[in-house]
Each structure stands twice: as C-alpha cells, then as structure tokens.
Amino acid sequence: MEIQKLRAPELPAAMDLCWRVFQEFEAPEYPPEGVEAFHAYISNTEQVKHLTGFGAWEGRNLLGVLAAEGRHIALFFVDPAFHRRGIGRALFQAYLAAGDWDRVTVHSSPCAVEVYRHLGFSPTAEEQRSPDGIRYTPMAWEPKTESE
C-alpha cells in the first residue's frame, strides 16, 4: 500500500469512494436532507479541489481517502473491503506528517466516532445536527506531550 497526496485528476475517483462508503455506512442514519447535503458537498468540484487530500493506493486501486481544510478533516473514508487493515491510521499519519498541527478537528459521523477515538481524538461536545441534516460529533486531536 502506498499513501500519496491526491492530484486533481484523482479527485473524481476519491469522491466516488467517499460517496459509496457514505451510502453504505452513513446514509441510513441521516435524514434525506443530510444525504443530499453530503452529496452536494462532494459534488462541488470547486470546493473539493481546495482540500488537501491523501489517498491509499494498492496498485491502481484507491482504498481510502482523507481530505482536510487545514487542520480540520473534512472527508475520511476507507473502502469497506479494506477496513481494519491500518489504512485509516496510515492516511492520518500521512496527513499529520504533511503539516505542523498542534490540534486537529473533525465533525465525526455517528459511526466513525470510535474510529477517531482509536486515532486519539476526543469529543469536544455532544452529537449535533446541522440545519442541513448532517449529524456529527465535534472531536479534536492534540499531540501527546512527553509527560503523557
């Protein structure tokens, strides 16, 4: 497996992966307007091209995607056929290595809260629902200090 920054020509495949995984794991827990809002977000090519994205590749197959706006993770999806193989952790480590982050935030979907906990994130508030129907738990990651 190889982790590399996503290039513009790879964004459609990356957004397709995000959509497929979202439909399987997230959409059943969201109201219709939340599903529509997520699809509109990943379909907005102008918005998506400004994200810093990383892809996990095995040959020509895209296995996972992490995309962020600065220190805020916007998209983080791994193909279900490859869950529990360290792909998410490898993507997160690549993202951390590319920046000098003293804090990283995410609005975790309901089914990803435990994944983020395993990466060292902690909730900063209870689950919320945005006006467009997106359900999320605000979470943050901070590097451990030597005394921890």
Side-chain angles (χ1 to χ4, degrees):
M1 176 185 60
E2 181 182 354
I3 306 290
Q4 59 188 23
K5 274 195 164 181
L6 291 172
R7 299 175 314 217
E10 297 162 337
L11 288 176
M15 295 308 105
D16 285 347
L17 176 94
C18 293
W19 179 238
R20 282 186 289 121
V21 178
F22 177 88
Q23 286 181 297
E24 183 174 344
F25 292 95
E26 309 298 339
E29 307 249 341
Y30 276 53
E33 64 270 21
V35 174
E36 290 172 23
F38 180 80
H39 190 259
Y41 178 78
I42 64 170
S43 298
N44 183 333
T45 53
E46 282 303 306
Q47 190 167 353
V48 168
K49 77 178 185 183
H50 292 292
L51 299 174
T52 300
F54 296 87
W57 300 87
E58 194 166 75
R60 298 169 66 100
N61 296 323
L62 182 60
L63 311 179
V65 171
L66 184 152
E69 297 179 67
R71 65 183 189 125
H72 182 79
I73 296 174
L75 301 167
F76 194 7
F77 293 92
V78 174
D79 184 313
F82 299 94
H83 281 181
R84 305 191 65 78
R85 297 191 188 181
I87 294 168
R89 184 170 297 282
L91 284 165
F92 184 57
Q93 292 301 324
Y95 163 72
L96 289 177
D100 186 21
W101 313 117
D102 60 349
R103 186 170 200 258
V104 176
T105 62
V106 68
H107 288 165
S108 175
S109 64
C111 78
V113 169
E114 287 308 310
V115 172
Y116 284 109
R117 283 186 195 274
H118 281 85
L119 292 173
F121 284 76
S122 299
T124 58
E126 297 296 317
E127 182 178 299
Q128 300 176 25
R129 181 173 162 175
S130 64
D132 61 4
I134 299 289
R135 290 177 55 202
Y136 65 93
T137 299
M139 300 182 81
W141 172 92
E142 294 177 357
K144 295 196 182 301
T145 61
E146 289 186 30
S147 62
E148 290 182 80

